[in-house]
Amino acid sequence: MNLSSSRPWQITINLCLFPFFCQVTPVLAEQLVPSDQFLNSASAGMPSLNQVSSVDQFTDVQPTDWAFQALQSLVERYGCITGYSDSTFRGSRALTRYEFADILNSCLNHVNELMATKVADKLTQEDLITLQKLQQEFAEELTTLQGRVDTLEARTTQIEANQFSTTTKLSGQAIFAVNGGAFEGDRIVSPTGAEITRNDPNITTLYRVVLDLDTSFHGSDRLKIRLDTGSNGSHDNAAGVLEPFFGSVLDFSVKPPSDGNIGVDRLYYTFHPTQDLTVSLGPNIRTTDYVDRNSYAYLSFRDFTTQAFINNFILFPINGPSAGAAIDWKPKATPFSIRAVYATADAENPSNQGQVRGLSTFIPLLYSTNAGDRGLFGDTYQGLVEFEYAPSKILAVRLQYSGGYVLSNHFDVFGVNFEFALSDKLAVFGRYGYGNYSNTTFGDLNPQYWMAGIAFRDLLKPGSLSGIAAGQPFIEGNIGNATQTNFEAFYNLPINDHIRVTPLIQVITNAANQDTNDTIVTGTLRTVFSF
């Protein structure tokens, strides 16, 4: 019989010679597309299919569906059914001859396995005769599939022969940006009243390049080595020059070494002692990599770039290079997660001399001396604990505590981080912090922090992300005579899967907590290349 010219009921009768097809082929037959359409579908490329071992793996198949028992038999008895990579079966979708041939090929392979393992008594003589007829009917499609498999095997062999490493994956990112800004008034002063500048900064170009080497030794572990370089750090953008203390700088500009020097930016090892527990440790980590995440304000190459909007500003007195460890525990079948981090700054320094690396920009303002011991168990360290409640992708609330010593002086900070999706395309988010920093130049301080915003997905173009946020990074009456307020708006436009262009604007009022500082406005055009 020529299957391509048959009516659906003819196909059903023919396939019903085979008992396990008889249950579901009415559905398949009704959805087989004409020959001219399935040839076009084949040339366009088939969707990604995955083998399943249980019908429960399909998220769109319910026990109440009329074909549920038939699917269950095909999956669990014969292993003949494949699903899509997103765990769906898509039972109402049209079926091409090539896809039917793929299912038939799975059945043939499974039958061969049964016969080879001497459990062919599960098959009847009628099954084998019908299988032979089906194999003859779909000989052309099966040959095509085998050719594709051979081609894929050849390409895989070629890739393995020329790949970077059998255990290491290389990925990277490059950020190009143009930035400029200006301020009203005659000059800009610091929180202590010292003059910073009387002139608007020049328009600049800035860049950051990152190469990640991720190595796995047994599949579930990872050794991370990140190499990066960048332009002139906080001095290559207007906000970093005009307001260098309270987190107005472009976050991605201060992450790499400055002036084009290539350095190691991350070095740590991650493993899983149990299925729901992740442990990371290393001599070069970042505290902000493990806690205080947010789906809408966390990655400065993707969303906001104002540093005080990327993380809770007062929660991380140590936010640069540090040594330490982190754990992330996500108990199964619960909406809860617990994370903890311990980090110490300047851990590689055997002496007590020199500038302590890895401190936030407000710490030199609070403490004018580099007191305390250095090294792994020195006097500048930080412990963080975060408790997260996330019952769904719509809502997440994170409660946080951070404590330790900075240059031999104690601190404690409490924080909260939330996000709530009002719809698939609209969400609100925010952070709050309250802290205690003792023995500062200004006395014992209790700074507060907040930020809040709204995010839009797929605005004007699918895949885009945009947002507007406002915040006050360091609310403290003992520093300055006002409270600095930051604003930012951005629109992240995807050009393709590897290139994204983002225009953004920053506005800063009462910079450095000084009311004599008039409004600062900066603009940036950020382009990110991922590979």
Side-chain angles (χ1 to χ4, degrees), residues 95-158:
L95 180 70
T96 69
R97 283 174 61 93
Y98 281 102
E99 290 171 314
F100 186 84
D102 182 64
I103 296 172
L104 177 59
N105 188 57
S106 297
C107 291
L108 292 172
N109 290 335
H110 188 70
V111 168
N112 289 332
E113 290 175 3
L114 292 176
M115 298 179 67
T117 55
K118 298 182 180 181
V119 290
D121 55 325
K122 293 184 178 180
L123 302 171
T124 67
Q125 185 67 25
E126 185 182 6
D127 289 343
L128 297 176
I129 293 173
T130 308
L131 268 177
Q132 185 178 11
K133 290 181 179 180
L134 288 171
Q135 189 173 9
Q136 293 172 354
E137 185 69 37
F138 285 86
E140 181 180 348
E141 285 80 7
L142 291 172
T143 301
T144 301
L145 286 174
Q146 185 59 50
R148 290 179 176 178
V149 171
D150 293 341
T151 301
L152 287 174
E153 288 180 349
R155 293 182 62 184
T156 301
T157 301
Q158 182 181 11

Side-chain angles (χ1 to χ4, degrees), residues 5 59 67 107 218 313 323 357 362 371 405 412 423 449 459 510 514:
S5 61
T59 59
C107 291
H218 53 78
F313 188 62
R357 299 173 64 242
F362 70 89
Y405 282 81
D412 296 285
S423 70
Y449 158 93
L459 182 64
N510 296 323
Q514 296 284 6

Side-chain angles (χ1 to χ4, degrees), residues 82-382:
T82 55
Y84 291 92
S85 55
D86 60 356
S87 299
T88 61
F89 178 67
R90 305 185 192 179
S92 60
R93 179 190 162 279
L95 180 70
T96 69
R97 283 174 61 93
Y98 281 102
E99 290 171 314
F100 186 84
D102 182 64
I103 296 172
L104 177 59
N105 188 57
S106 297
C107 291
L108 292 172
N109 290 335
H110 188 70
V111 168
N112 289 332
E113 290 175 3
L114 292 176
M115 298 179 67
T117 55
K118 298 182 180 181
V119 290
D121 55 325
K122 293 184 178 180
L123 302 171
T124 67
Q125 185 67 25
E126 185 182 6
D127 289 343
L128 297 176
I129 293 173
T130 308
L131 268 177
Q132 185 178 11
K133 290 181 179 180
L134 288 171
Q135 189 173 9
Q136 293 172 354
E137 185 69 37
F138 285 86
E140 181 180 348
E141 285 80 7
L142 291 172
T143 301
T144 301
L145 286 174
Q146 185 59 50
R148 290 179 176 178
V149 171
D150 293 341
T151 301
L152 287 174
E153 288 180 349
R155 293 182 62 184
T156 301
T157 301
Q158 182 181 11
I159 291 173
E160 289 178 348
N162 295 278
Q163 65 181 333
F164 175 77
S165 169
T166 57
T167 58
T168 301
K169 178 183 177 181
L170 173 64
S171 60
Q173 182 187 83
I175 303 176
F176 301 167
V178 178
N179 172 267
F183 63 91
E184 299 177 354
D186 297 327
R187 64 174 188 162
I188 294 292
V189 299
S190 73
T192 61
E195 182 176 295
I196 294 177
T197 185
R198 289 180 175 269
N199 302 311
D200 291 334
N202 296 322
I203 295 176
T204 59
T205 60
L206 54 149
Y207 67 91
R208 179 188 181 189
V209 178
V210 175
L211 294 177
D212 279 338
L213 301 172
D214 292 308
T215 302
S216 179
F217 301 102
H218 53 78
S220 62
D221 63 334
R222 180 178 66 165
L223 174 65
K224 165 77 79 174
I225 302 175
R226 173 173 294 177
L227 306 176
D228 66 4
T229 186
S231 46
N232 200 20
S234 62
H235 301 292
D236 60 15
N237 62 98
V241 171
L242 298 177
E243 197 293 287
F245 297 99
F246 295 146
S248 300
V249 66
L250 299 181
D251 181 76
F252 67 81
S253 74
V254 294
K255 291 300 175 65
S258 62
D259 295 329
N261 297 319
I262 298 176
V264 177
D265 192 47
R266 299 288 196 282
L267 179 57
Y268 60 82
Y269 181 66
T270 300
F271 60 98
H272 301 273
T274 63
Q275 190 172 4
D276 54 4
L277 179 64
T278 303
V279 177
S280 297
L281 51 91
N284 194 342
I285 68 171
R286 299 293 185 276
T287 52
T288 53
D289 286 352
Y290 303 101
V291 296
D292 200 35
R293 300 165 185 161
N294 193 287
S295 299
Y296 308 99
Y298 179 63
L299 299 173
S300 61
F301 60 83
R302 182 197 63 188
D303 41 67
F304 295 95
T305 57
T306 300
Q307 189 177 57
F309 291 169
I310 298 302
N311 293 109
N312 188 323
F313 188 62
I314 64 174
L315 191 69
F316 297 95
I318 300 175
N319 68 354
S322 52
I327 63 170
D328 188 342
W329 182 40
K330 298 179 181 179
K332 287 185 177 180
T334 74
F336 303 106
S337 298
I338 299 175
R339 304 180 184 95
V341 184
Y342 173 84
T344 180
D346 218 16
E348 72 281 4
N349 190 348
S351 71
N352 295 328
Q353 306 298 317
Q355 188 75 24
V356 177
R357 299 173 64 242
L359 301 180
S360 181
T361 54
F362 70 89
I363 295 301
L365 174 68
L366 302 189
Y367 303 103
S368 57
T369 61
N370 288 315
D373 293 335
R374 316 297 169 82
L376 184 59
F377 302 103
D379 293 328
T380 299
Y381 63 88
Q382 176 177 5

Side-chain angles (χ1 to χ4, degrees), residues 16 57 72 122 128 174 216 272 300 383-384 410 426 461 482 499:
C16 278
Q57 293 177 243
Q72 189 175 41
K122 293 184 178 180
L128 297 176
S216 179
H272 301 273
S300 61
L384 300 101
H410 183 70
L426 182 65
K461 183 177 180 178
I499 304 175

